[in-house]
Amino acid sequence: MILVRILDLKFLSELAATMIGTSNPPHQTQDYRHGSSERQTCCRRLVACTGRGRWPTPSAAIGRCCGANLTTRRRSTILAVIGCQQGRFGEGIELARRSLASEPHQPRAHNLLGMALSRLGRHEEALVSFDHAIVHQPDLADAHGNRASALLELGRTVEAVSSYERAVALQPASIGDWLNLGTALHRLGRHDDALSSYDRALALRAELPRGPLQPRQRARSARALRGGAGEL
């Protein structure tokens, strides 16, 4: 079992937060906790709307949450995220490519494009997008993990293990990447290493606060972890 990564709400949050003000220079991350209250409100509203699907149209959501101060590239990218969140992957791919055509240096947009292509089973194309994301931002853990999943789908398991190991090195708290690494190691017959990866995923899950989770969410998480370990 390969855990499918949820499409990039963090990316959407970052995009929303940059709608007011200037873009960050390449490879620099702005701490939005210290940004203007207007920027924070913009970010929260757009992420909340997207998470709940409460808008007449995606364009209306952007207009309400971000206002008119929005470039064509940024609008295309946000619409791509929203389209993919709603399962309209073909539309998301077209919009992401339109945004990248005007500004190629968008590692998370390349990562988003790869995720959408993967959801349509187009793993070779997805791999190219993940590679582009990593070229632009070598420490983007999500791109390494997604790249590994595409490699695993293509049967390139040794390479997948290497990419998963890079992903968990960059993001040690990623339960999904530890679980997927265990799956890849198991396919190579490295059962002891696979069990260690599953144990790490279970330990990280145990460290999470349980209060906010609903019973159905807890059950789904437990089934996912047991399902991965059950492959051994």
Side-chain angles (χ1 to χ4, degrees):
M1 183 187 78
I2 304 173
L3 282 188
V4 177
R5 194 179 302 273
I6 297 172
L7 283 168
D8 210 338
L9 271 180
K10 179 182 177 183
F11 179 32
L12 184 64
S13 172
E14 291 174 354
L15 280 167
T18 58
M19 292 308 98
I20 302 168
T22 58
S23 300
N24 298 321
H27 304 303
Q28 290 189 15
T29 302
Q30 182 175 347
D31 187 347
Y32 296 116
R33 291 174 299 177
H34 303 296
S36 68
S37 59
E38 186 178 12
R39 181 180 297 146
Q40 292 174 2
T41 301
C42 164
C43 168
R44 289 170 183 157
R45 288 178 64 198
L46 185 54
V47 172
C49 285
T50 302
R52 297 173 184 173
R54 294 179 179 176
W55 58 74
T57 65
S59 294
I62 293 174
R64 290 177 183 177
C65 298
C66 299
N69 184 26
L70 194 63
T71 65
T72 301
R73 172 179 63 82
R74 285 173 171 170
R75 181 176 291 275
S76 293
T77 309
I78 291 180
L79 286 171
V81 178
I82 293 174
C84 290
Q85 285 283 345
Q86 294 182 329
R88 304 194 312 275
F89 300 115
E91 178 183 329
I93 288 167
E94 180 183 350
L95 287 162
R97 283 178 168 160
R98 186 183 305 170
S99 176
L100 287 165
S102 63
E103 176 47 64
H105 186 90
Q106 297 184 77
R108 286 194 174 275
H110 284 292
N111 187 53
L112 172 71
L113 176 57
M115 284 191 287
L117 289 164
S118 288
R119 292 293 183 92
L120 296 180
R122 295 160 61 178
H123 301 297
E124 290 280 6
E125 294 175 76
L127 193 58
V128 174
S129 292
F130 297 136
D131 285 341
H132 283 315
I134 291 167
V135 165
H136 290 297
Q137 187 177 339
D139 63 349
L140 184 57
D142 287 348
H144 287 280
N146 288 329
R147 181 180 188 273
S149 295
L151 288 166
L152 201 57
E153 292 287 357
L154 293 168
R156 295 162 60 178
T157 311
V158 173
E159 295 172 82
V161 167
S162 179
S163 286
Y164 280 133
E165 288 175 339
R166 180 60 176 155
V168 296
L170 290 167
Q171 193 166 267
S174 175
I175 295 173
D177 285 327
W178 281 109
L179 184 57
N180 288 340
L181 174 58
T183 299
L185 290 165
H186 170 57
R187 292 186 185 181
L188 293 178
R190 295 170 56 182
H191 304 306
D192 289 341
D193 291 335
L195 281 171
S196 295
S197 291
Y198 288 129
D199 287 343
R200 181 59 179 154
L202 288 165
L204 287 167
R205 172 58 69 186
E207 293 172 6
L208 293 179
R210 297 183 178 273
L213 290 177
Q214 297 298 319
R216 184 176 300 176
Q217 292 174 298
R218 294 180 192 172
R220 187 182 302 119
S221 299
R223 283 198 301 272
L225 291 174
R226 284 199 301 270
E231 290 197 353
L232 297 176

